[in-house]
Amino acid sequence: HVQLVESGGGSVQAGGSLRLSCAASGFSVSTYCLGWFRQIPGKPRVGFIFLRPSGSKSYADDVEGRFTATVDNTDNTLVLEMSGLTPDDTGVYNCAARECSVFDYNIWAQGTQVTVS
């Protein structure tokens, strides 16, 4: 069964840090295109970090330098380390995966709430 199970998130004060993890099963994160998405209240869901099997990563301007995405091939897990959080980072965070030959992300974690006050 192909799935991503997300953990982490929660509430933190401005300037704090949080860690999100997505455990994959049924596929290997090392061979898929991966992404982190978030939905800020009142706005559509947007991808802000994208990772490719080659190891290349792209970060949105508003998270670069504060967020770091890594892939743990041993645990088949995608990890997001967030620091310097601001209230503008509040939202629902999802990781997602797709075969790189496919345009749309079709494997989604359940999402987790991140609240920064």
Side-chain angles (χ1 to χ4, degrees), residues 55-73:
S56 67
K57 303 176 188 178
S58 61
Y59 291 80
D61 290 343
D62 58 348
V63 304
E64 187 153 25
R66 299 188 300 125
F67 292 10
T68 301
T70 57
V71 175
D72 185 332
N73 294 323

Side-chain angles (χ1 to χ4, degrees), residues 1 4 9 25 28-29 32 43-44 46 60 63 65 80 82 86 95-97 101 106 109 114-115:
H1 180 58
L4 285 165
S25 58
S28 174
V29 294
Y32 272 56
K43 297 184 178 181
V46 175
V63 304
L80 178 64
M82 303 183 290
T86 75
C95 64
S101 60
N106 56 0
V114 170
T115 302

Side-chain angles (χ1 to χ4, degrees), residues 3 16 21 29 46 61 79 81 87 91 103-105 107 109 111 113:
Q3 66 176 357
S21 294
V29 294
V46 175
D61 290 343
V79 177
E81 301 277 2
F103 181 78
D104 291 326
Y105 284 86
I107 306 170
Q113 177 70 40

Side-chain angles (χ1 to χ4, degrees), residues 66-104:
R66 299 188 300 125
F67 292 10
T68 301
T70 57
V71 175
D72 185 332
N73 294 323
T74 301
D75 291 339
N76 205 30
T77 299
L78 177 62
V79 177
L80 178 64
E81 301 277 2
M82 303 183 290
S83 63
L85 287 162
T86 75
D88 289 343
D89 294 314
T90 294
V92 177
Y93 284 66
N94 290 85
C95 64
R98 62 179 174 88
E99 293 183 64
C100 296
S101 60
V102 175
F103 181 78
D104 291 326

